[in-house]
Amino acid sequence: RSAMTLPVSYTTGAHNFYAHYTKAKDDDIIAGDNSSKMMAFAYVYDLSKRTSAGVTYAKIDNSAAAAYNFFTNTGGLGSTGSTLTAGEDATLIAFTMRHAF
């Protein structure tokens, strides 16, 4: 499978803007269309040199045979039963607070 990501970021003062588009192409070996697209947008505000707060929105659009999901839904980081079946889409909204000690 081949995939590509186009990331963009912009910072002005205490405001940080992030966006990216990712496309995973169809794997010809697996039956059915298992391609997928993801778009994500984030805004982070620096409250101080060591503390920031932000919001993120991301959406994965899976084709009929694809079941891509966010990494936070695997390995015990996500909620129980949050596995996608083929063709389902995923949406993520996150509010974050970061403090560097």
Side-chain angles (χ1 to χ4, degrees):
R1 161 173 352 268
S2 62
M4 58 79 79
T5 297
L6 176 64
V8 177
S9 63
Y10 179 73
T11 300
T12 178
H15 306 277
N16 305 279
F17 302 91
Y18 305 95
H20 85 249
Y21 173 79
T22 301
K23 169 100 173 128
K25 293 184 179 180
D26 183 32
D27 183 351
D28 296 332
I29 296 172
I30 299 171
D33 182 5
N34 57 9
S35 63
S36 185
K37 295 180 283 187
M38 176 180 163
M39 292 195 72
F41 304 95
Y43 170 74
V44 177
Y45 182 75
D46 296 327
L47 300 167
S48 70
K49 287 184 179 183
R50 300 182 336 173
T51 306
S52 61
V55 61
T56 301
Y57 172 81
K59 178 148 177 59
I60 297 175
D61 292 321
N62 285 314
S63 295
Y68 287 94
N69 205 344
F70 298 107
F71 77 96
T72 54
N73 288 353
T74 61
L77 294 175
S79 60
T80 305
S82 62
T83 303
L84 295 178
T85 58
E88 285 187 311
D89 297 335
T91 301
L92 172 111
I93 299 173
F95 299 97
T96 57
M97 178 72 82
R98 177 185 170 271
H99 181 75
F101 293 94

